[in-house]
Amino acid sequence: MTYTTSWRSPSNIALIKYWGKHSLQLPRNPSVSFTLSVCHTTMTLSVTPNADQPGVQVKYDGQPKPSFEPKINTFLSMMKDRFLWLADAAIEIDSHNSFPHGAGIASSASAMSALALCLMDVNDQVTANIADHDELWWQNISEIARIGSGSACRSVFPVISIWGETPVAKESNDLFAIPWEHQLAPVFKDYCDAILIVSSEEKAVSSSAGHKLMDTLPYAETRYREAFQNIESLCKSLQVENELGQFISIVESEALQLHALMMSGKDPYILMEPGTLSIIKEVWRFRKASGIPVCFTLDAGPNVHLLYPSTYAAPILDWINNNLSPYCAEGRYILDRVGSGPEKII
Ligand code: PMV
């Protein structure tokens, strides 16, 4: 008997950054992110338990991708206690990213959350569980996704999620993310994120290496304290409709702090490119001149995420085309926005 499922799961962009971890992918500080919509992974998982030839086959866009297999194998072996049927199963995974391969956009959040969803879904089929997908089901998925890739645990919920214990959200904890949409002021529920592709090259330093660097950094404790304070202040601004000043200031400071941390170790590195800095300066110039409340954030890479209320979509698009696309690799950008979370395809 072969069980098959297919899920689409989005990427996310952190406003308060998770940077520094311990134990099994537990965060040193709480983080909060917008769940995106356009950038997502679609994954199909086929599982034949008790197979004659157990093993894992990973495909990307229908083509075998053996280079993905070691990471997936490590992750699946950590799942064997949870899903006993994994032990002797023949497993086939086929995934597709909506964003162009090599666009420099991290795919681990969307891919690992999609895999967590597929695993839980197959588990329901194998165990003939027909119960509704309740809060606990989603918590389990978020926890499984976290073990695959920390930030993936936040992709599981619509609009906005918090991961890591913080007094701003009663249910928050380090094991899984929680949805936070119900607290959000309307302006943020369809917030836009234009992702400017400054470079489409593979990251020179993995985020695992970046997290590790935090263990050796003299500023680490100060950074964690700052993140705890920032999430409290940011979550207050996220509940207010027409007060974007504090939101902008914290989001930009978090992005620059993330990169400053990378630059301040004994083995420092720089993931920004000259175009990244040019865009940041252009954002500051444009915001001052136009009064439009657009701000930037950065992932662990050179690409710039422009965050703005949807009412400003038209002038922002003109500005991107006229002033910012020259800094983008082949003029590329992706117009994304806050989205409604994962979706089952079949
Ligand atoms: O999930 P990881 O281990 O790839 O770490 C992601 C870290 C950042 O993207 C830089 C920040 C975040 O909170 O998403």
Side-chain angles (χ1 to χ4, degrees):
M1 173 93 185
T2 298
Y3 303 91
T4 300
T5 188
S6 193
W7 280 81
R8 180 161 64 220
S9 192
S11 188
N12 69 71
I13 180 68
L15 306 171
I16 302 294
K17 309 293 180 183
Y18 148 61
W19 202 239
K21 63 180 175 182
H22 65 97
S23 313
L24 187 56
Q25 224 98 260
L26 294 173
R28 293 275 181 200
N29 65 262
S31 57
V32 60
S33 60
F34 281 142
T35 303
L36 296 178
S37 161
V38 175
C39 290
H40 58 254
T41 297
T42 305
M43 185 176 284
T44 301
L45 173 69
S46 300
V47 176
T48 313
N50 304 315
D52 295 336
Q53 286 186 310
V56 182
Q57 237 203 349
V58 181
K59 291 182 181 166
Y60 182 78
D61 271 347
Q63 298 301 316
K65 196 78 185 171
S67 61
F68 287 0
E69 279 168 17
K71 192 172 176 191
I72 301 275
N73 275 322
T74 309
F75 169 69
L76 290 177
S77 59
M78 286 193 273
M79 290 296 124
K80 282 196 174 135
D81 291 344
R82 231 175 245 257
F83 303 122
L84 298 177
W85 44 265
L86 272 176
D88 299 312
I91 296 162
E92 208 180 288
I93 297 169
D94 192 358
S95 69
H96 165 78
N97 289 339
S98 63
F99 39 93
H101 198 57
I105 297 177
S107 57
S108 62
S110 53
M112 281 302 174
S113 53
L115 183 53
L117 284 151
C118 287
L119 284 171
M120 279 292 280
D121 191 313
V122 165
N123 189 55
D124 283 354
Q125 296 180 41
V126 174
T127 59
N129 174 23
I130 49 157
D132 275 350
H133 294 166
D134 58 6
E135 202 180 330
L136 189 65
W137 196 82
W138 288 101
Q139 286 173 1
N140 272 323
I141 286 165
S142 180
E143 186 172 6
I144 293 165
R146 184 206 94 227
I147 295 167
S149 175
S151 59
C153 73
R154 298 184 312 235
S155 276
V156 165
F157 301 108
V159 184
I160 190 164
S161 318
I162 292 179
W163 171 38
E165 195 175 342
T166 160
V168 288
K170 223 170 52 224
E171 315 287 316
S172 61
N173 71 93
D174 291 355
L175 297 179
F176 50 82
I178 57 160
W180 205 67
E181 182 189 357
H182 55 292
Q183 296 281 354
L184 215 54
V187 63
F188 294 109
K189 293 194 181 185
D190 63 349
Y191 227 60
C192 294
D193 177 6
I195 309 167
L196 308 178
I197 315 293
V198 174
S199 165
S200 49
E201 305 213 338
E202 271 302 286
K203 268 197 292 192
V205 184
S206 70
S207 52
S208 300
H211 289 293
K212 222 184 204 135
L213 190 97
M214 289 299 284
D215 294 337
T216 63
L217 222 57
Y219 318 107
E221 287 311 318
T222 312
R223 157 62 195 159
Y224 301 140
R225 261 203 312 278
E226 176 90 353
F228 272 89
Q229 279 167 13
N230 277 350
I231 198 167
E232 290 204 36
S233 311
L234 186 84
C235 285
K236 280 191 192 122
S237 11
L238 286 165
Q239 295 176 70
V240 184
E241 181 67 1
N242 282 319
E243 236 318 306
L244 290 167
Q246 178 164 277
F247 170 83
I248 288 172
S249 134
I250 297 171
V251 166
E252 292 189 345
S253 158
E254 277 286 315
L256 293 177
Q257 261 182 51
L258 171 70
H259 284 257
L261 291 164
M262 298 172 197
M263 288 186 236
S264 46
K266 291 238 158 39
D267 229 343
Y269 60 101
I270 301 177
L271 293 183
M272 287 192 270
E273 293 289 335
T276 314
L277 280 181
S278 301
I279 292 171
I280 289 173
K281 293 199 158 187
E282 179 60 25
V283 170
W284 286 341
R285 192 202 62 74
F286 177 77
R287 188 166 70 223
K288 200 164 177 203
S290 67
I292 292 177
V294 57
C295 68
F296 69 85
T297 187
L298 306 166
D299 236 329
N303 300 330
V304 182
H305 291 245
L306 297 178
L307 301 175
Y308 49 95
S310 59
T311 42
Y312 295 104
I316 296 274
L317 185 58
D318 283 347
W319 170 55
I320 292 173
N321 285 328
N322 295 332
N323 299 64
L324 303 181
S325 65
Y327 300 116
C328 300
E330 294 149 30
R332 273 155 83 190
Y333 57 83
I334 298 170
L335 297 177
D336 210 333
R337 54 171 56 224
V338 162
S340 53
E343 223 175 291
K344 186 171 160 78
I345 310 291
I346 49 166

